[in-house]
Amino acid sequence: MCRFFIAPIVIVERDSRELAMHKRAELSTMVSEERMKTVSGKMTVLQSPVGVRSIVIYLVAFFVLASSIVFLFDIAGQEEQVQMAVVKHERQRVKVQVQVEARLQEPAMGGTTEAEETGEEECSWSRGRWVYDNVSRPLYSGLKCAFILGEVACDKYDRKDVLYQHWRWQPHGCDLPRFDAIRLLEKLRNKRLVFVGDSVNRNQWASLVCMVEASIPDDRLKMRIFNGSLISFKALEYNATIDFYWSPLLVESNGDNPIIHRVEYRIIRADRIEKHASVWRDADIIVFNSYLWWRKQNDDMKMKVMYGSFEDGDARIDEMEMIEGFEIALKKLTEWLGENIDKNKTRIFFAGSSPTHIRGSKWGGDDSKKCLGETEPIYKVGYAATDYSLMAKAKSYFQTLEPKGIHVQILNITELSDSRKDGHPTVFRKQFVTLTKEQIANPASYADCTHWCLPGVPDVWNEFLYGYLMYR
């Protein structure tokens, strides 16, 4: 469109230039002829006195100079008009494009940014928008990944709409590094990466395993091992290990059984972490995640904290607010990291809080349905429903490790996940207990709006992790 608009102006500009040049040529010829007449003396009837002739010459020179100046201003003015027209056209084009993308793709963003979490001035990956992309997404097949977990295998459990698999995260002002499974496996050669935390962290572990295992076509060169609270994926050719370790409250607790852990009252042992820490002690990369179990299920929910032991006869149990218990666990974890981590070997990450979408009224939906039937992201600009107070607490404790040279990188995946109400398994997942007739009659009663379908949102979390490991 710009070419057709500018062309007529360029023609006018050329015509103006040729006209001015023609005028200058005529004036120059007139001056030359006058000089020739004066010198020859043969046409004295046309000669003028010296004073008059000088005045004429000065007037001609002034006219030429003035014409040139007018010509230059005319050209400058025309160029300015061209530039203004181009800018106006470009603004209109961008405006139309933004309006189209807003209707089709613009999700809601809000809350604390990654730059605020990490203090980094470079482009913040956590600020951006979801872009529908059915070319490069999904990164793997949920039906072909043999290592996917039943509670997040939505394809396998008959979820028919697959739009949720085709959204790509696009940061403002930059791009996420393109995920390369082979490069990551080379990075992990002879190393061990461990995800430590709850079922949401296990969700992220399953995502990363599916993202890399497709690049290992020979099934004999990859394997998965279950060992109680520990699940290991091994890429044998690279001697690389990607583990998940169940430790939902970081320190020892009554929720440590990876299968039977639905307890009415959560109890942590304030001074006991070594049982868990011994599993991740030798890791080269650790990704912690512990938010879900610290959230209040109801307003009067509290945490029990045990000091001492029954065996020694000095056991004491205190009751406190959930966030106070979280601080106790963070304090113990931070102390252990400060005393035991080799800062020259181990990289530590702490994932941001994973949003849930249980209350539909927050995005204009129906609370009684939760996230059931949702097939698109939340488009409302500025949408933010997740409480950042737990993340702020975690950050404040990990900052105390900085003087020791130990840096804990916060993976701020919260705000980009906040708008993805469409990404949860709901009823399309493996059920580990038999559903009652009442539940079957009311699917929303057992719809999972906490975990994430794979392929899906956690793949972006792992793109963040990949970017930090490879480039930051």
Side-chain angles (χ1 to χ4, degrees), residues 305-321:
V305 180
M306 179 178 176
Y307 298 88
S309 66
F310 292 109
E311 294 84 356
D312 296 335
D314 60 348
R316 186 182 90 251
I317 297 179
D318 292 341
E319 188 174 76
M320 59 186 64
E321 296 294 333

Side-chain angles (χ1 to χ4, degrees), residues 10-11 17 38 69 90 97 125 158 163 192-193 206-207 212-213 295 315-316 318 359 381 402 416 426-427:
V10 174
I11 291 172
R17 187 183 296 112
T38 304
I69 294 174
E90 181 63 17
Q97 180 180 348
W125 291 341
D158 299 325
L163 291 178
R192 181 175 179 237
L193 186 162
S207 164
V212 301
E213 69 89 21
R295 293 174 180 166
R316 186 182 90 251
D318 292 341
R359 297 180 181 177
V381 176
E402 294 289 342
L416 67 91
T426 62
V427 299

